[in-house]
Amino acid sequence: LSNKRDLGFHAGMITDGVPDLMEQGVLTNARKSIDKGKVICGLLTGTRKLFDYAHNNPNIELRPSDYTHNVQVIARLDNFIAINAAVEIDITGQVNAESVGDVQLSGVGGQADFVRGAGLSRGGKSIIAMTSTAQGGKVSRIVPQLAKGAAITTPRFDVQYVVTEYGIADLRGKSLPQRAQALISIAHPSFRDEL
């Protein structure tokens, strides 16, 4: 992102990369439609550098999750881009970001909130970003159907863009066969025929 300028930041958490982007003028928050000039987040996770940078910094504001994850607040941020991850996604577009089968890896977090908020934001976009494979390339993360017992973190009707190292699938407004073709086109080539 170092070639960008005047981006805004609103998230559940920030990590060590945020101070560098703020110092480079990438994250100025100057164009935000609300909370202008401020990074808004719920928590900090990182090294001492992050905590020292955030301490008494008027440009970083910690807010409770009923604000950071509030769909109506997110929707008021014009051009909001939500970037979330996934464990797997089926060829209809259902996203599992919480489990491997019935083994829970994490909670739902804010994925549903940020996906929906981006969908309601004027000019907003929602992106699910993931690598195409797991286990050293042995397993496709784009699958015919989610594993038995897997959570559906984001239902298919909320998914807009899915990105892997093989491209971008825009699922918005697509039929189920069109969604399948778009997702197969960004799967690892070794798994496309079976998908």
Side-chain angles (χ1 to χ4, degrees), residues 27-91:
L27 293 178
T28 64
N29 301 286
R31 297 182 185 183
K32 286 174 76 174
S33 41
I34 60 171
D35 301 318
K36 201 173 285 291
K38 294 183 183 288
V39 163
I40 300 295
C41 64
L43 60 94
L44 310 173
T45 182
T47 63
R48 183 101 221 128
K49 175 186 172 186
L50 173 64
F51 289 91
D52 289 344
Y53 186 83
H55 182 68
N56 289 326
N57 187 330
N59 298 318
I60 298 177
E61 189 171 310
L62 273 70
R63 301 289 298 267
S65 61
D66 65 354
Y67 186 81
T68 60
H69 292 57
N70 186 312
V71 172
Q72 294 170 334
V73 170
I74 296 166
R76 291 175 47 210
L77 291 158
D78 293 343
N79 303 306
F80 188 84
I81 308 298
I83 303 173
N84 289 283
V87 174
E88 64 181 347
I89 184 168
D90 74 16
I91 59 172

Side-chain angles (χ1 to χ4, degrees), residues 145-158:
Q145 60 187 26
L146 298 180
K148 183 178 180 184
I152 298 173
T153 308
T154 303
R156 64 185 180 213
F157 55 81
D158 279 334

